[in-house]
Amino acid sequence: MHLLGISGSLRRESYNTALLAEAARLFEPAVYTLADINFPLFNEDDEAQTGIPDAVQALDAQIRAADAVVIATPEYNANIPGALKNALDWLSRIRPLAWTGKPVAIMSAAAGVTGGVRAQYSLRHCMTPFNPDILQAPEVMIASAAKAFDENGRLLNDRSTTLLGKQMAALRARATSA
């Protein structure tokens, strides 16, 4: 199995990237790849002049090669981060769409008490045109993310770990039946 992780945060010490690592650990066995979404801002004029950046094409290829994709998003101002939306905008320029029918799990780790619920709702909406096979449940939202992980990046709360394990089992089941 090939599992692709996409973190909506570009921060080196991102809680969402740590959450993806935990998800990959619980999804095992799998070959896990963490995507890079640090792309230039989408601009149709730039695309017309220089084409789709190599990094965007590489992510598109990674999505196509993956058996399943996990997206972890922080919540910035009640929405998804610009870097994640920008990556989706770039990916929408490549046809056929790599996401079509792809099993996808969405999760979030956020500073607030809701754990990124609004960002997840927004991300689900942004993914609609791509027609992926998004898991509806279980939902994983890690609140107070700065206190949710130990020094090794492992989740501290057993309930969160159990819920994440259930989500990864559901994603694995969806990927094996696809």
Side-chain angles (χ1 to χ4, degrees):
M1 283 282 222
H2 286 87
L3 179 66
L4 178 65
I6 299 174
S7 178
S9 174
L10 301 179
R11 239 174 22 93
R12 272 189 309 276
E13 300 297 320
S14 163
Y15 301 119
N16 283 278
T17 303
L19 183 57
L20 287 171
E22 280 286 85
R25 181 179 68 80
L26 296 169
F27 188 87
E28 287 186 337
V31 173
Y32 173 65
T33 303
L34 178 62
D36 178 6
I37 63 165
N38 197 0
F39 304 150
L41 287 176
F42 174 73
N43 180 325
E44 202 168 339
D45 292 338
D46 292 343
E47 180 190 9
Q49 211 170 28
T50 60
I52 295 172
D54 291 343
V56 174
Q57 292 182 46
L59 177 55
D60 182 79
Q62 288 174 323
I63 294 166
R64 289 178 196 285
D67 295 300
V69 180
V70 181
I71 305 172
T73 183
E75 186 170 283
Y76 294 171
N77 302 307
N79 217 314
I80 63 174
L84 182 53
K85 178 64 168 78
N86 185 57
L88 294 174
D89 289 342
W90 271 116
L91 289 166
S92 74
R93 307 301 289 178
I94 302 173
R95 299 285 190 229
L97 296 171
W99 294 104
T100 303
K102 186 71 61 177
V104 175
I106 292 173
M107 59 188 60
S108 55
V113 296
T114 62
V117 67
R118 293 172 293 189
Q120 283 199 30
Y121 178 79
S122 294
L123 179 55
R124 287 173 189 278
H125 179 74
C126 290
M127 294 296 293
T128 300
F130 295 99
N131 197 27
D133 181 10
I134 297 177
L135 291 178
Q136 298 303 312
E139 295 177 306
V140 175
M141 297 164 206
I142 307 300
S144 304
K147 299 175 186 173
F149 298 89
D150 68 15
E151 62 279 353
N152 297 314
R154 300 284 294 270
L155 284 167
L156 292 169
N157 183 298
D158 289 338
R159 282 184 51 201
S160 295
T161 302
T162 299
L163 187 61
L164 182 59
K166 288 179 180 178
Q167 187 188 51
M168 290 301 95
L171 184 61
R172 178 178 279 287
R174 190 73 58 87
T176 56
S177 69

